[in-house]
């Protein structure tokens, strides 16, 4: 009798367990029957792939569940750390949930991190909240108000313009920088005219005058051109204010600006000359502007040379190619040389490309120079340029004395999307050095090579916990 009762209880327990788990007992029984031919077994390669996919799906679900738990139950510091990771990876999740947390949290640090997160995401959910605070900021921490000014600038909340201008007009100087930044990004031509007059207020420091001039430059309001020309030509004005005025009138792209800037280039102040180059670079088809830019490449001050080289790069001025190659080979300033490398990659000048290819092969050239040359060659994009850089990376993989070069080249690969990196990515992942494998994962994360995905999955499925296993799982989770 006891035996029968025990068996009944056992049967009932198993039945309940099967019902809760959704597992069919009959399915277990029939699984003992031999599989017919042609049916996948648990040992088949195809089934292994399916199991791997299931494993990754479970891993992704587990990661999401962990994130949701942090949002619901985590410490403020846990949420902040997670948001830092999201920002670093340029991934923006849970925006609705974070909006709710922002409006109810009492933690200033968390509130400000969420504002930063929405700023990076350029999401307008916080627009009403930001406008409410900016309209009456006096009971809110200055650091929070400052972040909200950056937010309305990034999201281009036009309604913030009048509110920012009102704070400037009423001389609430504790909000000066934030309000000015917002006005520069969302302001109107009328706001620009206001700033052109505002800059003459006696209470403004030299630094504040410079900030106002920068804002005017960003607004590019041609209505203020005459006022800015007067400031740029006024030798009694602060040099930096004149510099920003020169840049601003150039950015307006009025043809009349070229003559003004050409005259200003004769200044003995190299900082002003550099700003003139920045302004005149907006007129790449003007013969006078081109002549001044080429003259700037040969300027005695390195700042002017750097700005001129940038102008050549941005405008792809082929007429200046020979000057750029000469500077790349002979300039006494390393920064100028490297700027020339980058410009050669953009121009694609034949002699310049050959020089860079020879440089990466040069036995005694420094690693930094080789990396800079490699960046330029990859920007050029030809197959021969790519081969030069891949060959250099491959050499570094076989020589541990060249680890730093190996890692630096890996960062260069990871910064670009290029199907031609697939093979070298696989070689990084196959290396015995942990940091090298991690660099290979960075390259894969940017490019998602189909031929390398299985290798990344194997790293993600590794039995031993490691930073690379964690990284691989996060990369696959984002696919």
């Amino acid at each position: 009798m006891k035996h029968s009762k025990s068996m009944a209880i056992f049967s009932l327990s198993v039945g309940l367990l099967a019902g809760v788990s959704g597992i069919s007992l009959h399915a277990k029984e029939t699984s003992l029957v031999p599989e017919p031919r042609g049916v996948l077994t648990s040992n088949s390669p195809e089934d292994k792939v399916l199991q791997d996919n299931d494993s990754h799906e479970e891993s992704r679900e587990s990661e999401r569940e962990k994130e949701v738990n942090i949002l619901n139950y985590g410490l403020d510091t846990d949420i902040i750390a997670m948001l830092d990771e999201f920002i670093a990876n340029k991934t923006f999740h849970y925006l609705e949930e974070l909006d709710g947390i922002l409006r109810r949290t009492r933690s200033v640090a968390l509130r400000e991190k969420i504002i930063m997160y929405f700023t990076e995401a350029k999401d307008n959910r916080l627009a009403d909240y930001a406008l409410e605070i900016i309209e009456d900021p006096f009971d809110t921490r200055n650091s929070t108000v400052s972040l909200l000014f950056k937010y309305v600038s990034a999201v281009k909340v036009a309604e913030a313009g009048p509110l920012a201008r009102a704070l400037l007009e009423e001389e609430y100087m504790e909000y000066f920088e934030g309000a000015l930044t917002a006005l520069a990004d969302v302001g109107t031509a009328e706001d620009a005219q206001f700033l052109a007059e505002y800059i003459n207020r006696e209470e403004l420091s030299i630094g504040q005058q410079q900030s106002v001039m920068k804002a005017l430059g960003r607004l590019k309001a041609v209505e203020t051109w005459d006022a800015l020309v007067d400031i740029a030509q006024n030798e009694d004005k602060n040099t930096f204010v004149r510099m920003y005025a020169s840049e601003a009138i150039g950015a307006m792209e009025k043809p009349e600006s070229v003559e003004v800037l050409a005259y200003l280039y004769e200044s003995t102040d190299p900082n002003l000359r550099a700003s003139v180059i920045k302004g005149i670079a907006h007129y790449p088809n003007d013969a006078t502007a081109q002549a001044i830019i080429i003259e700037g490449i040969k300027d005695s001050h390195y700042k002017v040379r750097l700005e001129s080289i940038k102008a050549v790069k941005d405008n792809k001025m082929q007429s200046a190619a020979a000057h750029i190659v000469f500077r790349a080979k002979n300039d006494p300033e390393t920064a100028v040389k490297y700027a020339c490398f980058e410009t050669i990659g953009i121009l694609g000048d034949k002699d310049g490309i050959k020089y860079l290819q020879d440089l990466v092969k040069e036995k005694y050239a420094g690693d930094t120079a080789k990396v800079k040359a490699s960046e330029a060659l990859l920007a050029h994009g030809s197959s021969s340029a790519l081969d030069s850089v891949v060959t250099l990376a491959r050499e570094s993989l076989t020589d541990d004395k060249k680890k730093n070069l190996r890692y630096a080249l890996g960062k260069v690969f990871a910064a670009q999307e290029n199907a031609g990196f697939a093979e070298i990515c696989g070689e990084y992942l196959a290396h015995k050095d942990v940091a090298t494998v991690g660099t290979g994962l960075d390259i894969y994360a940017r490019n998602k090579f189909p031929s390398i995905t299985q290798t990344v999955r194997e790293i993600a499925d590794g039995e031993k916990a490691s930073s690379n296993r964690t990284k691989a799982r996060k990369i696959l989770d984002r696919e």
Side-chain angles (χ1 to χ4, degrees), residues 64-78:
R64 292 189 188 99
E65 183 180 356
K66 178 182 175 183
E67 292 166 354
V68 170
N69 283 338
I70 288 174
L71 289 175
N72 288 332
Y73 314 114
L75 302 175
D76 292 350
T77 51
D78 295 332

Side-chain angles (χ1 to χ4, degrees), residues 85-231:
E85 185 176 342
F86 285 167
I87 291 172
N89 293 326
K90 303 289 184 186
T91 54
F92 302 105
H93 309 303
Y94 314 112
L95 293 167
E96 197 66 41
E97 293 83 353
L98 287 164
D99 184 13
I101 293 173
L102 170 78
R103 295 170 194 270
R104 65 175 178 266
T105 185
R106 296 291 181 179
S107 167
V108 174
L110 178 56
R111 182 186 302 127
E112 293 187 346
K113 181 59 65 175
I114 293 174
I115 294 170
M116 292 180 199
Y117 186 66
F118 275 84
T119 303
E120 289 290 327
K122 292 182 170 58
D123 185 278
N124 65 1
R125 282 178 177 83
L126 302 188
D128 60 335
Y129 172 80
L131 292 171
E132 182 181 346
I133 298 296
I134 291 172
E135 185 175 16
D136 184 11
F138 309 108
D139 294 328
T140 304
R141 285 176 180 256
N142 285 353
S143 58
T144 302
V145 176
S146 177
L147 287 172
L148 288 171
F149 276 126
K150 291 178 182 178
Y151 170 77
V152 296
S153 294
V155 182
K156 299 292 186 284
V157 182
E159 297 88 342
L163 304 179
R165 179 172 165 177
L167 290 171
L168 292 174
E169 288 179 322
E170 296 300 323
E171 299 182 4
Y172 291 111
M173 303 310 285
E174 63 268 40
Y175 306 116
F176 174 84
E177 289 295 341
L180 191 61
T181 299
L183 204 60
D185 287 320
V186 303
T188 63
E190 185 180 337
D191 293 323
Q193 290 176 312
F194 160 73
L195 290 178
E197 296 174 7
Y198 182 79
I199 196 172
N200 295 316
R201 292 195 179 187
E202 293 182 359
E203 64 269 20
L204 292 183
S205 67
I206 294 297
Q208 288 170 333
Q209 290 178 33
Q210 293 172 13
S211 296
V212 172
M213 190 54 67
K214 286 181 182 179
L216 281 165
R218 286 158 64 184
L219 281 167
K220 299 181 183 179
V222 295
E223 293 84 354
T224 63
W225 188 84
D226 289 330
L228 297 190
V229 168
D230 288 343
I231 292 172

Side-chain angles (χ1 to χ4, degrees), residues 317-331:
M317 281 179 54
Q318 294 293 340
S319 59
H323 295 276
I324 297 296
V325 175
F326 184 87
R327 287 287 114 214
K329 294 178 180 179
N330 301 292
D331 201 277

Side-chain angles (χ1 to χ4, degrees), residues 239-252:
T239 297
F240 286 93
V241 173
R242 295 180 68 202
M243 287 164 53
Y244 299 135
S246 300
E247 295 172 19
I249 62 177
M252 292 176 190

Side-chain angles (χ1 to χ4, degrees), residues 332-393:
E333 295 289 339
T334 301
V336 174
K337 281 190 171 187
Y338 292 163
C340 288
F341 288 4
E342 184 180 0
T343 304
I344 288 170
I346 298 299
L347 296 179
D349 178 76
K350 183 179 178 181
D351 292 338
I353 294 298
K354 184 180 183 304
Y355 168 70
L356 296 179
Q357 288 178 313
D358 290 342
L359 180 61
V360 298
K361 296 175 186 176
E362 173 59 48
K363 181 177 180 180
Y364 298 106
D367 285 353
T368 302
K370 287 185 176 183
V371 172
K372 293 294 183 181
S374 296
E375 289 176 333
L377 288 168
L378 292 177
H380 175 53
S382 69
S383 58
S384 63
L386 173 61
D387 290 344
S388 299
V389 180
V390 168
T391 298
L392 180 64

